[in-house]
Amino acid sequence: MVKSSEIAVPRRVYHWINLVSMAVLAVSGWYVHKPFAPDLMGLMRYAHLTAAYIFSINLVLRVYYAFGKNGDWRKYLKPQINRKMLRLTFRHYLLYEHLPEGDHYRILQNASYLVIVILLFVQIITGVLLIEAEGSLPTQVITLLGGINAVRQGHLFLTWVFAAFTVIHVYMAFTEDFPKVKLIFLGMADEKYSGQ
Amino acid sequence: MKLCGAVTAAFSLPAGFKRDIAYATEQAIKKPPVIWLEGQDCAGCSESLLSSLNPSAEELILETLSIRYHETIMAGTGMVAEHAREETIKEGGYIVVVEGSIPKADDRFCEIGGKSFREIVMETAENAALVIGVGSCASYGAGIVGTTPSEGGGVAEFVKNKPVVLLPTCPVKPSRLVSTIMYYLSTGKVPELDRYKRPVAFYSELLHDNCPRRGQFEKGNFLTDWNDPRQREYCLLLKGCKGPRTYTDCAQVWWNDGANFCINAGAPCAGCTQPEFYAAFSPLYDKQEIFNIGPARSINLDSVGAALTGAAAAGALAHGLGRVIFEKKDSQDQDEDMREAL
Ligand code: SF4
Ligand code: SF4
């Protein structure tokens, strides 16, 4: 294995912070939802809010980066989806046919990341509404969303959506493109790797 | 005077107001006429008001207000009673208190003296100075989802051209009703209301933030067994407490003239000040995640989420197995296909 700059450092840093803060958010959020051990509520809520701020700032910076000089927004906002590519991708997923070398199969994956990022922003908004429910703007937004209970349930439901997504994400990353896992976590590549 | 002090405090008015309120109250000759209407109700709000000690029921009915019409407590019946209501309407400037919801599905679900309750409310509100909806039913048309074919609605959904104040809780808290009336009489103004037409003075703070059991919540002590004496003071979250979603001053201004309130008495908050009560907050004694959106009613959110994630995991597993069994070796033509495609 050799050092590789295939995936730029900011993207790797983002991915790490994202992973850790999301893990903290999931565990502490679950504790607030269903306390599984005594005496930790204060700590868990503190952890949840701290991780939430780190996560949000991280996400905003990543979006900023995506539109910057070396940004990769095109990949997410303009995925090159066409029928042939879809056909091949689905044959690949369902019939295990090989896809050609390169980044092509990730076109759909990138599109799914776009959806997830939008949902992450929705999650941030619902989270903020839950802690800052009393101002006049939050009040209006909460009413629009159907009341504080609906906001809370939305926050919880999205958590489940992310959990399901994470399962698929991890499975796909490890089985479809293991070299990329090494790239994003360690910045290391097998010499032969030709993905992106 | 004690009551006037309470009203002043409740609305955070300057101390001088106490005198104004006392003055207004003393204008006993000009006692404000009140018409109390009961629709799809249980008379619980009336009971609640009548059990009030300060002011006492006698004081309230005989001295403070001039209740012209009240189905439960009035002496007159039939035409005589209806006549009293009609006379008061002609006089104008009275206060209408509405208890219970108004059927939306069909007028015939609630009729009094052959007249639909909806019509009664509309015609009584016509000359009113102020309309007060008391209790959760009159406020939101609260009901148990699926069991109320009458589709009860709140009074504000019907009365549009008059100031409407809503005082939800099940039943109405007497101090709130009396304070609201006193405030209106002494200032001539409707108190500041929130988005649900509830007076900000009573409904602006989250119960959970003022709860006497909040310390236990922070510590993570949650009552799971009602019979365990060690858990007596624990937070009631896992027993279905809706305090974290309920805006009310229950923790500061206790019920029954300061005797107690739900959580302090060991009962989880049912969230009775909120529009979500009862449908979206049920079951009462369980930490619930029941969806309240269209057809998704009464589906448990955590079950949906677990199913979703489980399906993803099962799918990944199946796909992984399939991969081991069926995966084809590299094929040159597919590569070409793909290149053309892109
Ligand atoms: S009893 Fe209810 S309101 Fe009180 S701290 Fe627990 S959850 Fe919050
Ligand atoms: S504590 Fe909750 S259930 Fe009890 S009266 Fe107050 S808002 Fe209603």
Side-chain angles (χ1 to χ4, degrees):
Chain A
M1 291 220 289
V2 293
K3 265 219 152 322
S4 163
S5 55
E6 202 75 61
I7 299 184
V9 175
R11 285 176 60 191
R12 290 182 39 220
V13 172
Y14 162 77
H15 191 263
W16 266 113
I17 297 180
N18 198 38
L19 169 67
V20 175
S21 60
M22 265 189 157
V24 174
L25 281 167
V27 174
S28 57
W30 189 253
Y31 185 91
V32 175
H33 176 48
K34 287 215 160 107
F36 46 76
D39 284 354
L40 293 172
M41 185 57 85
L43 180 71
M44 287 295 185
R45 293 181 62 238
Y46 188 79
H48 196 74
L49 293 189
T50 311
Y53 283 114
I54 293 174
F55 167 83
S56 310
I57 294 168
N58 193 39
L59 184 64
V60 169
L61 288 179
R62 180 64 177 83
V63 171
Y64 177 77
Y65 171 82
F67 289 97
K69 193 149 65 67
N70 303 317
D72 47 3
W73 63 272
R74 227 171 289 269
K75 218 165 60 179
Y76 301 105
L77 289 183
K78 289 186 168 177
Q80 307 284 311
I81 295 178
N82 57 49
R83 279 176 72 194
K84 195 152 192 185
M85 171 248 130
L86 279 179
R87 188 167 58 80
L88 285 170
T89 312
F90 278 113
R91 284 180 77 90
H92 170 64
Y93 285 152
L94 297 177
L95 304 172
Y96 303 102
E97 286 176 1
H98 261 281
L99 275 178
E101 297 275 298
D103 204 22
H104 311 317
Y105 88 91
R106 275 194 226 106
I107 292 169
L108 266 194
Q109 207 183 342
N110 288 338
S112 78
Y113 291 159
L114 175 67
V115 175
I116 286 297
V117 166
I118 293 170
L119 291 182
L120 285 174
F121 276 106
V122 176
Q123 186 74 332
I124 293 174
I125 292 168
T126 54
V128 169
L129 289 177
L130 286 174
I131 35 173
E132 283 302 330
E134 273 132 64
S136 89
L137 179 66
T139 307
Q140 280 164 14
V141 181
I142 289 173
T143 315
L144 203 72
L145 296 175
I148 191 102
N149 198 48
V151 172
R152 201 187 66 89
Q153 292 192 327
H155 199 71
L156 178 61
F157 182 68
L158 282 179
T159 308
W160 278 113
V161 171
F162 299 137
F165 173 81
T166 307
V167 169
I168 298 170
H169 175 63
V170 171
Y171 168 76
M172 298 250 288
F174 274 83
T175 57
E176 295 287 340
D177 200 355
F178 187 62
K180 190 160 182 191
V181 176
K182 282 190 277 186
L183 269 176
I184 193 120
F185 281 120
L186 307 169
M188 300 290 244
D190 299 331
E191 269 151 282
K192 306 197 304 295
Y193 184 66
S194 62
Q196 179 228 337
Chain B
M1 212 56 188
K2 199 172 147 207
L3 169 66
C4 300
V7 176
T8 312
F11 285 101
S12 325
L13 298 169
F17 257 93
K18 200 166 148 187
R19 247 176 297 117
D20 296 357
I21 293 175
Y23 174 74
T25 315
E26 260 155 33
Q27 298 264 305
I29 325 119
K30 289 201 285 165
K31 283 186 289 191
V34 172
I35 298 180
W36 186 299
L37 299 175
E38 290 181 65
Q40 303 191 110
D41 73 327
C42 67
C45 291
S46 300
E47 285 291 343
S48 174
L49 184 70
L50 297 176
S51 331
S52 164
L53 297 175
N54 176 37
S56 69
E58 311 86 87
E59 205 181 312
L60 202 67
I61 297 165
L62 303 175
E63 292 166 27
T64 316
L65 307 170
S66 157
I67 299 185
R68 302 283 177 86
Y69 182 93
H70 187 305
E71 283 150 28
T72 307
I73 61 168
M74 65 191 170
T77 52
M79 300 303 285
V80 184
E82 291 304 319
H83 183 68
R85 186 172 65 85
E86 281 153 20
E87 285 302 307
T88 315
I89 294 176
K90 270 190 219 131
E91 261 172 58
Y94 47 90
I95 293 173
V96 184
V97 175
V98 180
E99 174 183 1
S101 62
I102 303 167
K104 280 190 288 197
D106 191 320
D107 273 357
R108 288 170 297 175
F109 274 110
C110 185
E111 289 183 335
I112 296 147
K115 201 177 247 180
S116 80
F117 184 58
R118 187 184 54 80
E119 281 172 285
I120 296 177
V121 171
M122 297 311 278
E123 71 177 34
T124 313
E126 203 49 54
N127 289 339
L130 175 68
V131 178
I132 305 178
V134 296
S136 307
C137 300
S139 301
Y140 310 120
I144 304 167
V145 165
T147 62
T148 55
S150 71
E151 289 165 30
V155 61
E157 292 173 50
F158 293 88
V159 179
K160 301 278 185 210
N161 54 351
K162 291 284 164 184
V164 178
V165 176
L166 299 180
L167 300 172
T169 55
C170 184
V172 68
K173 205 189 238 180
S175 58
R176 285 182 185 154
L177 177 57
V178 175
S179 305
T180 304
I181 294 178
M182 294 299 163
Y183 180 91
Y184 180 75
L185 293 177
S186 50
T187 64
K189 280 190 301 229
V190 177
E192 190 192 342
L193 303 179
D194 70 4
R195 68 198 138 129
Y196 299 123
K197 295 189 186 297
R198 311 178 292 194
V200 172
F202 311 133
Y203 298 95
S204 63
E205 275 174 72
L206 195 61
L207 175 55
H208 183 58
D209 289 344
N210 298 297
C211 177
R213 294 177 192 250
R214 179 59 184 261
Q216 304 285 1
F217 172 89
E218 293 296 334
K219 262 192 100 190
N221 290 336
F222 299 98
L223 189 146
T224 49
D225 180 1
W226 297 107
N227 295 321
D228 183 351
R230 273 168 308 160
Q231 300 187 10
R232 205 166 55 99
E233 302 290 321
Y234 283 12
C235 166
L236 300 167
L237 184 74
L238 300 186
K239 285 293 177 191
C241 183
K242 311 297 183 294
R245 282 164 277 168
T246 303
Y247 288 83
T248 179
D249 62 359
C250 289
Q252 297 100 314
V253 182
W254 287 8
W255 277 77
N256 303 333
D257 303 293
N260 213 336
F261 86 107
C262 310
I263 290 175
N264 200 57
C269 169
C272 72
T273 60
Q274 294 299 109
E276 287 92 346
F277 174 81
Y278 179 110
F281 276 170
S282 65
L284 293 183
Y285 289 95
D286 216 343
K287 190 167 188 308
Q288 57 83 39
E289 299 309 337
I290 308 294
F291 269 122
N292 190 33
I293 311 158
R297 279 205 168 134
S298 72
I299 295 176
N300 188 296
L301 202 153
D302 274 336
S303 315
V304 174
L308 196 70
T309 311
L317 196 69
H319 195 265
L321 280 176
R323 183 192 301 272
V324 175
I325 301 167
F326 300 116
E327 189 157 32
K328 299 198 177 66
K329 290 289 152 264
D330 211 335
S331 117
Q332 203 58 44
D333 347 330
Q334 278 179 41
D335 275 20
E336 243 125 62
D337 265 11
M338 195 65 174
R339 243 168 248 129
E340 276 165 33
L342 295 165

